[in-house]
Amino acid sequence: MSHIVEIQTEIRDAAAVREGCNRLGLQPPSEGTFKLFSKTVSGLGVQLRDWRYPVVCELNTGKVQYDNYQGRWGDPKRLDEFMQAYAVERAKLEARKQGHSVREQQLADGSIKVTVQVGGAA
Amino acid sequence: MKTIEIIVAPDGNTRVETSGFTGSDCRQASRSLLQALGQQTSEQLKPEFHQAATEQQQRASE
């Protein structure tokens, strides 16, 4: 049987956050407490390009906290890019852990396709 | 060939499609990937699912 599943990405894996930052040429993430404009949050902080405050990943809930003042303190596209980079790296890490071979392909609409060959040699 | 295709949209949300599996293998094979990525929002069974299910029913009734 075959099926199609839609998934809303949750950020729960520190290794994939690191790989995602590396992929986008960002500084490695750091664990700590970060001040956003009006609140202080703890988690894994990622400094996106040209963002005033970091994006803080709460790995236990899968959510990200940030304050980009509706785009004025940081382009939302940079956050989308990070979410995409994370999901691609997370999928690759998990597939390799299961012993599957993985191929990655950039699509014309900006999506990235990760093909996992189950039971296939790398 | 058994494959799992993960299409990651520019906003990071993903669509996972399995192909070439028989029986419930596809769910088993993709479970860890699905859990790793996040929260499932919808699931759609491909025609092969119904085919496989029908064949299984036929075999069971023989």
Side-chain angles (χ1 to χ4, degrees):
Chain A
M1 123 185 158
S2 298
H3 69 309
I4 300 169
V5 178
E6 309 271 347
I7 301 168
Q8 193 176 354
T9 300
E10 291 178 340
I11 307 254
R12 290 182 182 273
D13 184 73
V17 172
R18 262 197 307 279
E19 292 296 325
C21 288
N22 190 29
R23 182 186 183 93
L24 296 173
L26 304 174
Q27 290 296 311
S30 60
E31 187 73 43
T33 300
F34 302 89
K35 190 185 177 309
L36 306 183
F37 176 69
S38 57
K39 58 181 175 179
T40 303
V41 290
S42 296
L44 192 57
V46 173
Q47 186 59 55
L48 300 177
R49 197 161 289 129
D50 302 325
W51 273 50
R52 183 181 291 194
Y53 298 104
V55 167
V56 183
C57 308
E58 295 179 332
L59 302 182
N60 54 339
T61 63
K63 306 284 177 233
V64 291
Q65 297 238 42
Y66 58 90
D67 186 352
N68 69 342
Y69 195 20
Q70 291 159 354
R72 274 171 270 187
W73 293 343
D75 185 347
K77 280 207 181 89
R78 300 281 92 83
L79 180 58
D80 287 348
E81 267 172 17
F82 169 69
M83 296 297 283
Q84 186 186 39
Y86 170 84
V88 168
E89 295 301 333
R90 182 72 188 95
K92 284 162 63 177
L93 285 170
E94 186 61 32
R96 290 199 182 114
K97 203 168 85 184
Q98 304 292 321
H100 306 318
S101 66
V102 187
R103 201 155 34 90
E104 188 187 318
Q105 189 188 347
Q106 180 76 47
L107 303 183
D109 69 352
S111 299
I112 297 171
K113 179 163 87 172
V114 177
T115 306
V116 178
Q117 196 178 324
V118 176
Chain B
M1 191 171 66
K2 296 172 185 173
T3 57
I4 304 171
E5 269 187 9
I6 302 133
I7 310 274
V8 187
D11 68 359
N13 286 325
T14 58
R15 183 170 179 269
V16 177
E17 182 168 347
T18 63
S19 301
F21 291 89
T22 52
S24 59
D25 288 1
C26 67
R27 278 213 175 97
Q28 211 175 342
S30 57
R31 188 180 298 138
S32 67
L33 266 172
L34 299 177
Q35 282 172 353
L37 287 167
Q39 201 68 44
Q40 187 169 322
T41 56
S42 83
E43 182 179 38
Q44 182 193 337
L45 300 169
K46 288 164 68 175
E48 292 133 85
F49 165 76
H50 301 290
Q51 242 167 28
T54 312
E55 281 165 19
Q56 277 166 5
Q57 278 165 11
Q58 278 171 352
R59 257 181 260 134
S61 64
E62 278 168 10

